Amino acid sequence: NDYSHVRILIVDADKFTRSLLMNVLEELGFLGKNIDETGDGKEALDLLRSWTAHIIICSKRMGSMDGVDFVRALRDPTQSSAPGTAIIFCSQQLDKELVEEIREAGVNEVIAKPITIGAIQTRIRHIFEKPRPLVTVKDYVGPDRRRVDSGDQPRERRSRKRE
């Protein structure tokens, strides 16, 4: 695949993880000039007002805001200039509750840390080759949060409504 035109934003509080991801992406054929990074979620939202990313790779820890809050803010067109951008969420602690929470917030793909080249490559391929339908409603623009089993029968939403 030719990724020379794809722009990626990495948002992770850990500088080593950002550096590792940049190296992995370059190894996969992404151009360094098309990869930007920050350790802070609010800074990332500001950056996206002037720089277009095709994919955002973020984590649970990201400076001034939690990764889940970042995804929610990004998906809200009243707060974000890029609500439809694809998101890959990475975390060391991917328990069932967090996975449900980030899926409901609007991530496209999930990766458990430690990150591997194969995991990144697979998730990026899914974003381009098997994209989930984009949903646009008043306060959410992003992938359809419903999961599909066989490709034709949507399952019930798994997330629990918070009271």
Side-chain angles (χ1 to χ4, degrees), residues 41-81:
K42 288 182 180 174
E43 187 176 301
L45 291 170
D46 288 342
L47 176 64
L48 290 167
R49 286 177 174 59
S50 61
W51 191 78
T52 302
H54 299 102
I55 299 172
I56 297 168
I57 301 175
C58 69
S59 70
K60 180 122 173 75
R61 291 182 336 122
M62 51 177 42
S64 65
M65 73 188 323
D66 174 85
V68 179
D69 292 334
F70 170 78
V71 173
R72 286 186 185 121
L74 185 77
R75 293 294 183 222
D76 184 344
T78 65
Q79 297 182 54
S80 169
S81 60

Side-chain angles (χ1 to χ4, degrees), residues 72-140:
R72 286 186 185 121
L74 185 77
R75 293 294 183 222
D76 184 344
T78 65
Q79 297 182 54
S80 169
S81 60
T85 306
I87 301 171
I88 299 173
F89 192 96
C90 306
S91 180
Q92 286 178 320
Q93 301 170 264
L94 280 176
D95 57 38
K96 185 177 179 180
E97 189 173 299
L98 176 61
V99 171
E100 287 179 4
E101 185 177 24
I102 59 179
R103 289 267 188 219
E104 185 65 23
V107 300
N108 297 73
E109 298 290 335
V110 179
I111 298 177
K113 289 182 180 178
I115 298 163
T116 65
I117 291 176
I120 291 286
Q121 188 172 34
T122 299
R123 295 332 181 277
I124 289 172
R125 191 175 305 129
H126 283 172
I127 286 170
F128 289 116
E129 296 174 9
K130 300 176 185 178
R132 291 172 41 208
L134 199 64
V135 173
T136 303
V137 292
K138 186 179 86 172
D139 62 350
Y140 176 85

Side-chain angles (χ1 to χ4, degrees), residues 8 10 15-32 35 37 57 115-117 120:
I8 297 184
I10 301 167
K15 188 162 182 57
F16 175 77
T17 299
R18 293 193 314 266
S19 178
L20 175 71
L21 281 166
M22 289 186 82
N23 290 334
V24 166
L25 292 167
E26 288 177 352
E27 187 74 26
L28 292 173
F30 294 88
L31 299 180
I35 305 169
E37 49 96 10
I57 301 175
I115 298 163
T116 65
I117 291 176
I120 291 286

Side-chain angles (χ1 to χ4, degrees), residues 130 132-133 144-158:
K130 300 176 185 178
R132 291 172 41 208
D144 188 340
R145 296 174 281 198
R146 294 171 294 178
R147 305 307 291 167
V148 177
D149 280 329
S150 65
D152 52 15
Q153 294 297 321
R155 290 196 310 216
E156 298 267 333
R157 267 192 163 169
R158 290 180 165 176

